[in-house]
Amino acid sequence: MSNVITLDENAESLVKIRDLHFQRGSKQIFRGIEMDLPRGQITTIMGPSGTGKTTLLKLIGGQLKPAKGSIEVDGQNVPKLSRSALYALRKRMGMLFQSGALLTDLTVFDNVAFPVREHTDLPESLVRHLVLMRLHAVGLRGARDLYPAELSGGMARRVALARALILDPTMIMYDEPFTGQDPISMGVLLDLIKTVNSALGLTSIIVSHDLHESMSISDYVVIVSDGVVVEAGTPEALRASESPWVQQFLQGKSDGPVPFQLEAPDYRDDLLGAKHG
Amino acid sequence: MVDLLQRFGRGWIGAFERFGRATLFLLQVIIGLPSLFGRGFLLVKQLYSTGVMTLLIILVSGLFVGMVLALQGYNSLVRFSAEEALGQFVALVLFRELAPVLTALLFAGRAGSAMTSEIGLMKATEQLAGLEMMAVDPYKRVYAPRLLAAFIAVPALTAMFGAVAILGGHLVGVEMLGVDAGAYWSQMQSEVSFRHDVLSGMLKALVFGFVICWIAIFEGADCIPTSEGVSSATTRTVVYSSLAVLGLDFVLTALMF
């Protein structure tokens, strides 16, 4: 296909998305998205709020089914997989949810140990080592006995990251990992994502609004808007792009081809109408 | 008029569609039940939170229901000088009707609502999605243990409700109103059939436990993941399970007795 945005000609793709259509209610979220995400690299997906970036991660993870199109992960077409095959594939995927999605009735330690206890028969002493190592990596070894309700949003996301990494997945999807992090945690987190990606040969897909942070560690960036891929390439290529769309987005200008306002009736009419109504 | 008919039709189609989804949901939970072999701790945890935590309200209610039954029964029976039949009266009313029905209603209010809101909140806070993405099937990990726990807990709670209510009846009938203790127990022993009365009541309890839990977990899993969604799902659980218990009680009574 000629219009597919392939990020790296030489790299093998782990995720191949073709002609993806998805709608929620009457709103068309994706209108034929096509992309190849290279194995072993960090790819960031960006775009204005409400463009369906989180939805895209859920489609890749098989939590939502597309109206049309295919999503191949490691050669398997996710929407067509049987329940057992999908669960087998998910054992090799990690996902960091925006909210953390920690189990509230378990402590931090048990939350991180949860996937290991569910999927392996490792002795408890080994589980303890694994959990403490992952918690140490995210700086929260000291929080092992706390419950999720006692953590801040940023801490909860770091615990969730430790949990997502514990089974050494092939691919990991991060949904807004940098939100709510203080500058120190942010630096450690960026390092961690970069290090695990290169050391473990992971493929990382990041959805983020934190432009500078995510571009600093990404090998590739894909910008999605209005249901299609607008631009894709290395961070340097995007910075050098002459597209007014990309420049507006990267520089955060309110004026440009991307409307700041969601589609609405004329402002003046709306206010006057409210006065009379 | 056409609009009214359309709305009526849409409502019914919606209700049937939802019932269909609930049935498919139940089938998947039942398919997940064998996974509990070797993972007894999940069942024990649910037995504790649904069964043991409901015990206090069941025992207190049972005691009072037994006391009221004895008081009302005595007042009626004494007019015909038949107060010796009090034990039989209390036991029959309890085992055939009151113990299974009241236990089920209390269980729906205490444990059913808690199950729905817990599962609904797990959905709203993405914990269920998180489990799915960790390749942990919520049907096996979350729903199946709850269904089996309710299936075991409701008959057990019904038995305890009945036992405590009979003691409550004894307290009022024998200790306070002066019915002969020998008559109270012997009438009960001779006239209450274990198979026909006690086991039939237990069968009702099994059915009620199953239906309440089905409604509770389905409502939780199917709720709109917002605060209003969870609260209306919890309300629906209590309303639907109470109506289901009362309706099924009539059907089962008509079939059994």
Side-chain angles (χ1 to χ4, degrees):
Chain A
M1 275 181 215
S2 57
N3 58 343
V4 177
I5 296 182
T6 306
L7 294 172
D8 187 344
E9 298 292 333
N10 305 319
E12 185 202 347
S13 305
L14 182 71
V15 181
K16 283 185 191 169
I17 298 176
R18 295 287 180 275
D19 193 27
L20 181 70
H21 286 73
F22 182 79
Q23 69 181 67
R24 187 167 275 151
S26 58
K27 195 185 174 204
Q28 191 78 33
I29 311 270
F30 296 126
R31 299 180 288 121
I33 277 200
E34 312 227 340
M35 63 170 93
D36 284 356
L37 305 180
R39 191 187 287 271
Q41 312 276 3
I42 302 178
T43 308
T44 296
I45 299 171
M46 289 183 175
S49 309
T51 38
K53 300 180 295 296
T54 301
T55 307
L56 187 61
L57 293 188
K58 287 187 176 172
L59 282 160
I60 296 173
Q63 289 188 286
L64 296 172
K65 288 213 184 298
K68 199 178 140 199
S70 68
I71 304 159
E72 275 188 25
V73 176
D74 212 6
Q76 300 186 68
N77 189 4
V78 176
K80 297 265 185 279
L81 286 180
S82 68
R83 201 177 166 80
S84 54
L86 180 62
Y87 274 84
L89 179 66
R90 280 179 183 161
K91 281 185 194 167
R92 294 188 282 133
M93 283 182 184
M95 176 143 176
L96 176 69
F97 283 83
Q98 216 163 343
S99 60
L102 297 175
L103 298 166
T104 45
D105 59 336
L106 301 181
T107 60
V108 163
F109 184 94
D110 290 333
N111 259 293
V112 180
F114 186 81
V116 189
R117 288 175 178 155
E118 283 290 319
H119 296 307
T120 69
D121 292 321
L122 292 180
E124 210 41 42
S125 57
L126 202 54
V127 174
R128 187 172 177 275
H129 273 110
L130 279 173
V131 173
L132 292 183
M133 279 160 65
R134 292 293 187 269
L135 280 176
H136 185 75
V138 296
L140 291 173
R141 197 160 41 87
R144 73 186 96 167
D145 295 324
L146 298 181
Y147 279 88
E150 299 169 278
L151 302 175
S152 71
M155 285 159 87
R157 251 185 294 274
R158 273 148 67 197
V159 174
L161 175 61
R163 185 177 70 174
L165 289 172
I166 198 153
L167 282 180
D168 293 342
T170 316
M171 178 180 112
I172 182 158
M173 296 185 277
Y174 302 91
D175 192 356
E176 298 289 358
F178 310 121
T179 314
Q181 304 296 345
D182 59 70
I184 301 167
S185 311
M186 178 80 94
V188 174
L189 213 57
L190 287 166
D191 263 358
L192 183 68
I193 293 177
K194 187 91 185 156
T195 315
V196 290
N197 201 79
S198 50
L200 303 175
L202 272 175
T203 303
S204 307
I205 305 172
I206 304 174
V207 158
S208 175
H209 278 123
D210 295 275
L211 275 173
H212 303 291
E213 286 76 16
S214 40
M215 282 179 91
S216 70
I217 55 162
S218 297
D219 298 301
Y220 298 100
V221 178
V222 181
I223 299 185
V224 179
S225 177
D226 205 16
V228 290
V229 174
V230 179
E231 192 87 39
T234 58
E236 295 73 37
L238 281 191
R239 280 196 197 97
S241 167
E242 286 177 10
S243 154
W245 202 108
V246 175
Q247 286 310 321
Q248 186 199 347
F249 189 75
L250 295 186
Q251 290 168 30
K253 292 179 186 163
S254 64
D255 209 17
V258 189
F260 164 66
Q261 291 286 344
L262 200 65
E263 205 174 315
D266 184 74
Y267 189 33
R268 187 167 175 274
D269 290 352
D270 223 1
L271 288 177
L272 291 174
K275 188 179 155 193
H276 295 301
Chain B
M1 184 66 193
V2 174
D3 185 50
L4 193 74
L5 269 176
Q6 272 182 341
R7 256 191 287 165
F8 185 72
R10 207 178 301 137
W12 274 103
I13 290 172
F16 276 116
E17 192 255 327
R18 199 150 190 266
F19 184 71
R21 255 185 304 136
T23 311
L24 290 176
F25 174 86
L26 177 66
L27 280 177
Q28 282 203 292
V29 180
I30 291 172
I31 292 169
L33 281 175
S35 68
L36 288 174
F37 285 112
R39 293 166 64 90
F41 67 97
L42 290 174
L43 180 64
V44 171
K45 196 174 168 198
Q46 290 310 317
L47 273 174
Y48 178 78
S49 63
T50 55
V52 178
M53 298 302 279
T54 316
L55 195 57
L56 187 66
I57 186 174
I58 293 287
L59 294 182
V60 174
S61 309
L63 186 71
F64 282 111
V65 167
M67 285 161 70
V68 169
L69 265 183
L71 203 56
Q72 292 278 18
Y74 180 84
N75 286 340
S76 303
L77 290 171
V78 79
R79 272 193 258 163
F80 310 102
S81 305
E83 63 269 24
E84 274 77 26
L86 187 67
Q88 175 196 351
F89 167 79
V90 169
L92 279 183
V93 172
L94 277 171
F95 284 126
R96 284 185 174 196
E97 284 301 328
L98 288 187
V101 172
L102 288 181
T103 303
L105 292 177
L106 289 168
F107 185 83
R110 163 65 184 75
S113 59
M115 262 188 238
T116 303
S117 53
E118 187 188 4
I119 294 173
L121 279 173
M122 283 179 84
K123 186 178 178 183
T125 53
E126 291 185 308
Q127 291 181 55
L128 291 180
L131 284 177
E132 282 179 9
M133 284 309 296
M134 284 188 280
V136 176
D137 190 347
Y139 285 93
K140 295 176 181 164
R141 185 69 168 64
V142 180
Y143 310 138
R146 283 169 173 78
L147 187 73
L148 191 59
F151 197 63
I152 297 169
V154 176
L157 290 170
T158 301
M160 286 183 237
F161 184 101
V164 173
I166 286 173
L167 288 179
H170 181 270
L171 193 71
V172 169
V174 177
E175 306 294 336
M176 284 170 60
L177 300 171
V179 174
D180 180 58
Y184 184 86
W185 293 114
S186 64
Q187 283 271 341
M188 194 186 299
Q189 200 179 1
S190 63
E191 297 300 328
V192 176
S193 146
F194 181 73
R195 234 184 109 196
H196 193 240
D197 300 315
V198 179
L199 283 189
S200 301
M202 286 299 138
L203 188 64
K204 278 185 179 181
L206 275 176
V207 175
F208 295 160
F210 182 75
V211 171
I212 292 169
C213 189
W214 175 22
I215 293 173
I217 55 178
F218 175 70
E219 286 294 348
D222 197 55
C223 75
I224 301 166
T226 58
S227 345
E228 294 89 354
V230 175
S231 90
S232 60
T234 311
T235 309
R236 275 200 305 275
T237 292
V238 178
V239 173
Y240 291 169
S241 27
S242 305
L243 290 176
V245 164
L246 296 171
L248 279 170
D249 183 45
F250 174 75
V251 175
L252 290 172
T253 306
L255 289 174
M256 285 173 181
F257 300 104

